[in-house]
C-alpha cells in the first residue's frame, strides 16, 4: 500500500481564475521521485512554458534527496510534462491567442506511485477580484460558524 502525496499550490486559486484543468505526467529522475514521495517539493512559484512544441514546468522546486550521492538532481530545473498531442496543441493555441498562462495546481502520486501534476489554464485576477474572493471566504466562514452553533 503506497502513501499518496498531495502538494498543493494554494496561491493559484487566489491569484488566478482557473479556466480548465489537465492532469499531466512528469519526466523525473530516481532521486526526484524519492524526494516527492517524502513530500519535499514546492510548486507555488512555478509556471509552465512551451519549448519546441513540448510543455515544461519551470521554477518548480523538488529538494535534493537526503540520501542521494553524486547522482543527486538539481533542486530547480525544467521538467518535461507529458500530455496528449491534442491537449498540447489546444493549450498552445489558447496561450498564444488569449494571453492566458499555465500554472501547476497540485503535485500528487497516484495509486501506482507515479507522480502526476494537475495544471490549470488560468487568467490573472485583478485586485478587485481578489477582494471579492476574500469576501466570499469570510461570508462562508461566518455561515459555517452559525450553522455549527445551532447543531
Amino acid at each position: 500500500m503506497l502513501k499518496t502525496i498531495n502538494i498543493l499550490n494554494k496561491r493559484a486559486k487566489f491569484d488566478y481564475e482557473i479556466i480548465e484543468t489537465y492532469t499531466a505526467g512528469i519526466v523525473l529522475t530516481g532521486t526526484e521521485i524519492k524526494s516527492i514521495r517524502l513530500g519535499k517539493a514546492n510548486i507555488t512559484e512555478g509556471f509552465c512554458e512551451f519549448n519546441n512544441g513540448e510543455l515544461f514546468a519551470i521554477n518548480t522546486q523538488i529538494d535534493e534527496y537526503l540520501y542521494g550521492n553524486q547522482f543527486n538532481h538539481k533542486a530547480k530545473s525544467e521538467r518535461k510534462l507529458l500530455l496528449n498531442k491534442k491537449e498540447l496543441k489546444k493549450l498552445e493555441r489558447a496561450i498564444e491567442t488569449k494571453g492566458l498562462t499555465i500554472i501547476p495546481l497540485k503535485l500528487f502520486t497516484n495509486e501506482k506511485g507515479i507522480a502526476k501534476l494537475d495544471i490549470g489554464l488560468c487568467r490573472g485576477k485583478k485586485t478587485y477580484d481578489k477582494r471579492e474572493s476574500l469576501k466570499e471566504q469570510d461570508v462562508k466562514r461566518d455561515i459555517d460558524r452559525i450553522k455549527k452553533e445551532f447543531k
Side-chain angles (χ1 to χ4, degrees):
M1 184 81 183
L2 293 171
K3 183 178 91 170
T4 58
I5 302 296
N6 287 324
I7 298 167
L8 300 173
N9 184 355
K10 294 179 182 176
R11 293 285 307 174
K13 290 182 181 174
F14 182 71
D15 290 337
Y16 298 97
E17 174 189 346
I18 301 167
I19 298 167
E20 281 186 80
T21 59
Y22 298 93
T23 301
I26 315 171
V27 177
L28 298 171
T29 62
T31 55
E32 287 175 330
I33 190 65
K34 289 178 182 180
S35 289
I36 289 173
R37 287 181 183 152
L38 291 175
K40 305 284 186 183
N42 184 6
I43 59 171
T44 54
E45 299 171 0
F47 61 96
C48 299
E49 197 173 76
F50 279 95
N51 189 4
N52 295 331
E54 296 176 337
L55 189 62
F56 288 90
I58 312 291
N59 215 14
T60 55
Q61 180 174 345
I62 299 175
D63 294 336
E64 289 186 357
Y65 184 56
L66 184 63
Y67 303 109
N69 50 18
Q70 74 263 21
F71 301 113
N72 224 338
H73 65 278
K74 294 179 188 173
K76 282 194 177 188
S77 64
E78 295 183 355
R79 292 172 178 88
K80 184 177 176 181
L81 299 179
L82 305 171
L83 286 167
N84 294 333
K85 195 178 283 188
K86 187 184 282 185
E87 291 173 337
L88 285 172
K89 287 181 182 178
K90 184 177 179 182
L91 283 172
E92 197 166 14
R93 270 187 268 122
I95 287 176
E96 289 173 357
T97 57
K98 299 175 187 169
L100 302 174
T101 186
I102 302 173
I103 302 295
L105 303 174
K106 178 175 150 185
L107 178 64
F108 64 96
T109 57
N110 64 5
E111 61 276 352
K112 294 181 182 178
I114 298 170
K116 302 281 184 177
L117 184 69
D118 276 348
I119 57 174
L121 185 62
C122 304
R123 178 182 296 119
K125 281 187 182 178
K126 307 288 185 205
T127 53
Y128 54 84
D129 292 333
K130 293 179 186 179
R131 278 185 257 143
E132 285 179 19
S133 27
L134 283 174
K135 189 184 286 186
E136 288 173 9
Q137 287 175 356
D138 289 341
V139 169
K140 185 177 183 284
R141 191 178 309 120
D142 291 340
I143 290 172
D144 290 342
R145 216 176 274 143
I146 292 169
K147 283 182 182 178
K148 189 175 182 182
E149 288 177 8
F150 288 109
K151 284 188 176 181

